[in-house]
Amino acid sequence: MVEDTIIYNEPNINSKVIRSLNITEIVLIESNVMVTNAEGTKEKWLFIKTLGGKKGWIQRNTIAKPTDFKQVKKFGDYYIEGWSGDYDFAYRFYRNGTYKMKVFDDIKEKTIYKIGRLYRCKNIVATEGGALFYFDEEGNLFTDVLFIDDKTGEPFRAITNKSEFPKWAQSDKAPVLETYYILTGDNVNVRSEASTNSAVLLKLKKGARVKLLERSDVTFTIGDRTGNWVYIDTGVKDKKGNTIKGWVVDIYLKEE
């Protein structure tokens, strides 16, 4: 769920209320129907089943499917820790929309580190592992009964002051994840540095496939379009057999 909502007995807000659903609660969709409301506007209703077995109707605009979540390209520096079930976990969120997770598995008795991308739908932020976090309009982690630490009974800690981050999470260097892009511009200059004053290493043709290695905070405007300089692996070999890597502006790239 992307907002608090109600399960109704029929696809009508005037029908019997079965129960309420909380933000981030997961449900199974069994069917759907289009209904004309009192204002004469058509809206979609979903017949759902909760994990507890309750069934009923909810409005489509209150729920998010996996396809509704889009990859986060810009985020903030957050450190979140807590205890859930058998796991003591911590997340480090980075400004480029990636995260690093540290979790201690009590059963295996060892600490595990994982990295991934963040995805967002409205105020719900999800990790690739399926963890869900709700942020308010100001970007602060919302802490209510959904985010109570199983071990302490206190809300999960959400820290933005990097001086308070643990040592493993203090670095600003975000995880490097393999992301491939297709070049949308033609004869695009690949440069030695994130600047148009730097040397051109080669020109790439439209349709070339490149791997993103790093995204900088340095922007560049061409006409009415502004993008960030990104460091890429072109896949092209130089005379010594080394892969040419360099900088381009991401307005010429489309994610594969």
Side-chain angles (χ1 to χ4, degrees):
M1 309 305 299
V2 291
E3 58 184 76
D4 291 334
T5 191
I6 295 172
I7 304 177
Y8 294 94
N9 189 52
E10 301 290 340
N12 187 318
I13 59 173
N14 295 317
S15 64
K16 180 182 177 181
V17 173
I18 295 176
R19 59 158 286 201
S20 61
L21 290 170
N22 295 319
I23 291 173
T24 73
E25 193 166 348
I26 297 172
V27 298
L28 303 175
I29 300 172
E30 296 193 348
S31 63
N32 65 82
V33 66
M34 294 297 295
V35 175
T36 302
N37 60 27
E39 288 75 33
T41 304
K42 288 188 176 182
E43 59 181 6
K44 181 177 283 189
W45 284 73
L46 306 174
F47 187 71
I48 58 94
K49 178 181 179 181
T50 69
L51 297 184
K54 294 288 186 180
K55 292 187 177 184
W57 294 90
I58 63 172
Q59 293 166 297
R60 168 65 178 90
N61 61 4
T62 63
I63 193 171
K65 295 181 180 179
T67 52
D68 292 329
F69 283 84
K70 306 302 179 184
Q71 185 178 334
V72 175
K73 299 296 179 67
K74 292 183 179 180
F75 203 62
D77 290 304
Y78 289 91
Y79 174 74
I80 302 168
E81 65 178 20
W83 184 280
S84 180
D86 294 325
Y87 299 98
D88 181 6
F89 70 88
Y91 283 94
R92 167 64 155 99
F93 291 173
Y94 295 88
R95 284 176 290 175
N96 69 343
T98 62
Y99 69 89
K100 187 174 184 179
M101 175 189 180
K102 176 184 178 182
V103 58
F104 183 79
D105 190 327
D106 266 5
I107 298 174
K108 296 181 180 179
E109 296 186 343
K110 67 177 183 178
T111 298
I112 302 170
Y113 290 91
K114 297 181 179 181
I115 60 174
R117 299 179 180 86
L118 295 173
Y119 295 84
R120 188 169 199 156
C121 179
K122 296 186 178 180
N123 289 348
I124 304 297
V125 174
T127 68
E128 290 182 346
L132 301 175
F133 299 91
Y134 175 61
F135 286 79
D136 65 21
E137 297 299 333
E138 284 71 44
N140 301 308
L141 180 69
F142 183 79
T143 53
D144 65 0
V145 69
L146 297 174
F147 298 95
I148 294 298
D149 188 309
D150 290 346
K151 192 173 185 180
T152 66
E154 298 294 326
F156 289 169
R157 296 179 65 206
I159 303 170
T160 56
N161 184 349
K162 285 189 284 186
S163 66
E164 298 180 29
F165 289 9
K167 187 175 181 180
W168 70 269
Q170 286 183 351
S171 173
D172 285 332
K173 190 173 182 180
V176 177
L177 304 171
E178 286 197 355
T179 306
Y180 287 89
Y181 286 80
I182 302 299
L183 212 68
T184 58
D186 201 16
N187 292 321
V188 174
N189 292 326
V190 179
R191 296 185 178 273
S192 60
E193 297 179 17
S195 167
T196 55
N197 295 323
S198 63
V200 175
L201 303 178
L202 81 159
K203 292 180 180 287
L204 288 176
K205 294 184 178 180
K206 185 176 182 179
R209 183 175 185 260
V210 300
K211 181 166 69 173
L212 182 68
L213 300 176
E214 180 183 341
R215 184 181 298 275
S216 77
D217 291 329
V218 181
T219 60
F220 185 73
T221 300
I222 301 175
D224 60 351
R225 303 173 67 191
T226 299
N228 289 72
W229 284 95
V230 293
Y231 190 57
I232 62 168
D233 181 334
T234 66
V236 178
K237 303 288 186 180
D238 62 18
K239 293 180 180 180
K240 296 181 179 180
N242 299 316
T243 302
I244 298 175
K245 300 174 184 178
W247 295 88
V248 298
V249 181
D250 64 3
I251 61 174
Y252 297 119
L253 300 177
K254 179 181 179 181
E255 191 168 354
E256 189 177 52

